[in-house]
């Protein structure tokens, strides 16, 4: 059950007073251009989980700064056609966990990609993405 800090009628009417910084579009244009400088280098390695209703792949691809990002790709066993895909970004403090923890979406006939949050994990779920940083510190709009 979801938890809310406002009654439903107030949530429906709520409008944030936050505005995007003036350099928002330029920041993301630069960030995406830098990301495209690195080959994606996507690898899908089958994992023998002992599960019979799903096929699991350990996925690695190049993320920001070329650093590896990890995830599980869980497919219905024997899937041979393009499938709808659910992408799950694990919240901070958690990792992708173990394949058997991610059976729901594949059981409904969908592909499910569970992505590690780089540099996070182990507070409530295992992670496999390395704790690396580009240039020794996080990049900000000012840097």
């Amino acid at each position: 059950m979801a938890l809310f800090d406002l009654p439903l009628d107030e949530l429906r009417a709520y409008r944030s007073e936050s505005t995007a910084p003036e350099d928002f579009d330029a920041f993301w244009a630069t960030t995406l251009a830098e990301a495209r400088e690195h080959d994606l280098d996507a690898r899908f390695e089958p994992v023998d989980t002992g599960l019979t209703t799903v096929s699991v792949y350990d996925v690695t691809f190049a993320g920001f700064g070329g650093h590896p990002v990890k995830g599980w790709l869980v497919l219905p066993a024997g899937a041979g056609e393009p499938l709808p895909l659910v992408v799950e970004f694990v919240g901070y403090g958690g990792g992708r966990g173990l394949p058997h923890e991610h059976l729901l979406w594949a059981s409904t006939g969908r592909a499910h990609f569970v992505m590690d949050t780089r540099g996070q994990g182990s507070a409530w779920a295992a992670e496999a993405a390395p704790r690396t940083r580009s240039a020794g510190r996080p990049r900000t709009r000012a840097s």
Side-chain angles (χ1 to χ4, degrees):
M1 180 173 176
L3 301 175
F4 302 98
D5 61 351
L6 294 174
L8 185 57
D9 60 329
E10 289 182 46
L11 283 172
R12 287 185 173 138
Y14 178 80
R15 299 296 176 261
S16 173
E17 294 179 16
S18 298
T19 58
E22 288 184 26
D23 66 343
F24 183 82
D25 290 332
F27 168 79
W28 281 109
T30 300
T31 299
L32 293 173
E34 289 173 4
R36 290 183 185 106
E37 292 175 5
H38 301 279
D39 182 31
L40 188 59
D41 192 27
R43 296 183 304 275
F44 298 81
E45 299 181 25
V47 177
D48 183 5
T49 62
L51 301 170
T52 59
T53 61
V54 297
S55 299
V56 178
Y57 296 85
D58 185 6
V59 179
T60 306
F61 63 93
F64 184 80
H67 297 290
V69 176
K70 304 279 292 175
W72 296 125
L73 178 61
V74 184
L75 304 172
E81 58 204 43
L83 299 171
L85 172 69
V86 175
V87 178
E88 180 179 348
F89 293 91
V90 178
Y92 286 103
R96 64 179 165 155
L98 300 172
H100 72 273
E101 298 170 323
H102 305 287
L103 301 178
L104 175 66
W105 292 113
S107 297
T108 67
R110 293 167 175 86
H112 184 197
F113 182 63
V114 184
M115 196 170 114
D116 262 342
T117 303
R118 190 179 68 189
Q120 299 295 317
S122 72
W124 52 268
E127 57 98 13
R131 296 176 185 272
T132 57
R133 292 190 180 142
S134 177
R137 62 186 174 86
R139 183 173 178 269
T140 64
R141 284 195 304 270
S143 58

